[in-house]
Amino acid sequence: MWRRVASLSALISSTSNRCFLDQVAYRMSTCKLFSSEVKENPLTLKDLFITFVLGGPGSGKGTQCAKIVETFGYVHLSAGELLRREIASNSEYGSMILNTIKDGKIVPSEMTVRLIQKEMELSNNHKFLIDGFPRNEENRIAFETIIGADPDIVLFFNCPEEEMVKRVLNRNQGRVDDNIETIKKRLKVFKASNLLVVDYYSDKGKLFEIDATGTEEEIFERVRPVFAAFQV
């Protein structure tokens, strides 16, 4: 079943989030994606309903997002897919993202947020599933600053680590990061950074924790009541 969570502080250690503010401010002042000209945000004219979809690798986020789209008419935006698409387009920003990854660096939060923003502005829909983002506090702050909106709800697919590892190894999607060593590293990063975001939205009363074990249909039956309660 799903449950609305008041706090997940027991899952993670108490950590100050304010140190990220200076990092975001610096990146936002230097990133080439930002124009010096201040423009009106078209998204402020939309009656947005934003859902963040969080969970570790192999927790089933993408599968459940597809079912939510089909059943409730949301637009699914995967942060990872948007980055891969931008790289494949050979655009100026795609080359910048590719070079950043090749250099072993993390793609700046504002780059990813700008890609999400572009898709949201082009859509005629107002209901969005943001899949796999924000991954950390810097991502979260950048999203809220640039988009000018908080998520309405946050889904957290809670799945045991051994089950996530098994699913990733069995999905056979040809991804270079679908190997046991990389999966363990990704799970370590998830615990260290993503759970801080989970805890933040839990404290704000926006988090819905989904038991992500069982079949796809069993899991969706836990998801369905959440969106049925927020028919918009």
Side-chain angles (χ1 to χ4, degrees):
M1 62 179 292
W2 66 267
R3 62 190 180 96
R4 196 160 196 165
V5 183
S7 175
L8 292 181
S9 56
L11 292 176
I12 57 178
S13 60
S14 176
T15 305
S16 174
N17 299 330
R18 294 302 176 187
C19 62
F20 291 97
L21 288 170
D22 291 339
Q23 299 175 22
V24 173
Y26 172 76
R27 289 194 177 189
M28 291 179 70
S29 66
T30 57
C31 180
K32 293 182 180 179
L33 282 177
F34 289 126
S35 167
S36 59
E37 178 185 358
V38 178
K39 298 180 180 180
E40 182 181 1
N41 183 356
L43 293 177
T44 60
L45 303 177
K46 288 189 175 185
D47 184 19
L48 296 175
F49 192 91
I50 299 172
T51 301
F52 285 161
V53 184
L54 307 177
S59 61
K61 301 186 303 296
T63 299
Q64 294 303 315
C65 280
K67 292 181 177 296
I68 296 167
V69 168
E70 180 181 359
T71 306
F72 296 101
Y74 281 67
V75 172
H76 177 207
L77 300 178
S78 165
E81 182 57 36
L82 291 177
L83 288 170
R84 289 188 287 270
R85 187 195 308 171
E86 192 68 19
I87 292 172
S89 73
N90 295 317
S91 68
E92 175 188 354
Y93 298 143
S95 299
M96 190 186 306
I97 293 167
L98 180 60
N99 290 334
T100 300
I101 295 174
K102 283 183 176 179
D103 290 340
K105 300 176 182 177
I106 298 175
V107 176
S109 299
E110 49 270 26
M111 282 189 179
T112 308
V113 174
R114 289 298 185 188
L115 294 176
I116 293 172
Q117 180 185 36
K118 179 181 176 182
E119 294 297 316
M120 292 174 71
E121 290 175 355
L122 291 174
S123 175
N124 292 324
N125 206 330
H126 70 284
K127 302 186 295 184
F128 297 96
L129 301 172
I130 312 296
D131 174 7
F133 194 90
R135 294 180 181 271
N136 53 43
E137 281 290 273
E138 183 183 329
N139 284 175
R140 178 187 67 76
I141 295 167
F143 183 93
E144 294 178 358
T145 301
I146 296 170
I147 303 300
D150 296 343
D152 293 275
I153 60 174
V154 178
L155 288 189
F156 171 50
F157 287 94
N158 195 358
C159 189
E161 182 173 320
E162 60 272 17
E163 178 65 18
M164 289 191 284
V165 171
K166 182 174 70 174
R167 289 177 182 178
V168 172
L169 292 177
N170 289 339
R171 66 188 180 187
N172 192 26
Q173 293 180 343
R175 287 172 48 169
V176 295
D177 55 352
D178 282 358
N179 59 77
I180 187 65
E181 293 81 10
T182 304
I183 294 167
K184 292 288 187 180
K185 290 179 182 178
R186 289 167 63 195
L187 286 169
K188 185 176 181 180
V189 171
F190 172 76
K191 290 179 180 179
S193 58
N194 204 251
L195 286 178
L196 290 172
V197 179
V198 170
D199 196 56
Y200 174 84
Y201 287 117
S202 174
D203 289 343
K204 296 192 74 171
K206 294 188 175 186
L207 189 79
F208 291 84
E209 181 180 343
I210 305 295
D211 176 2
T213 59
T215 67
E216 294 177 5
E217 288 303 325
E218 287 172 342
I219 297 169
F220 186 62
E221 287 308 310
R222 300 165 194 152
V223 172
R224 186 193 298 272
V226 177
F227 288 91
F230 289 94
Q231 289 283 19
V232 290

